[in-house]
Amino acid sequence: MELKENMQFEITTKFVPNFYNSKKLKVVKINASNVRIEMENAKYGGVFPLDLFQSLIRNGALLLDDGRESEEDTA
């Protein structure tokens, strides 16, 4: 998956460093080695190595938030 700034991800229970019990995070900045993120409900952001962030996506810890409501939300 090609990462872009302002992408939003839903955080699953597999995402261990969820200190703020956030449900979403947003990619703020990307470079060749790091991804800077901002978590919902957090005052500060964080930085992940690019390969670790991509493995969190592959392992299902982060799910791309495409802006659509889930079926549970619309029921």
Side-chain angles (χ1 to χ4, degrees):
M1 168 185 298
E2 182 181 343
L3 295 174
K4 298 177 184 173
E5 292 180 7
N6 296 317
M7 287 179 93
Q8 290 195 28
F9 291 87
E10 292 181 35
I11 299 171
T12 71
T13 56
K14 294 180 182 180
F15 187 78
V16 177
N18 191 354
F19 299 116
Y20 297 100
N21 294 319
S22 298
K23 294 183 187 222
K24 295 186 180 194
L25 67 74
K26 180 169 86 171
V27 173
V28 177
K29 189 166 186 146
I30 305 164
N31 65 34
S33 60
N34 296 318
V35 178
R36 182 171 301 275
I37 59 110
E38 195 173 84
M39 292 180 74
E40 177 184 67
N41 303 324
K43 293 181 182 180
Y44 304 101
V47 178
F48 284 91
L50 180 60
D51 58 343
L52 175 60
F53 193 82
Q54 289 174 329
S55 74
L56 291 169
I57 295 168
R58 282 191 303 272
N59 294 330
L62 298 173
L63 303 175
L64 183 61
D65 180 8
D66 60 4
R68 293 183 288 174
E69 293 182 23
S70 68
E71 290 181 19
E72 291 178 11
D73 293 340
T74 58

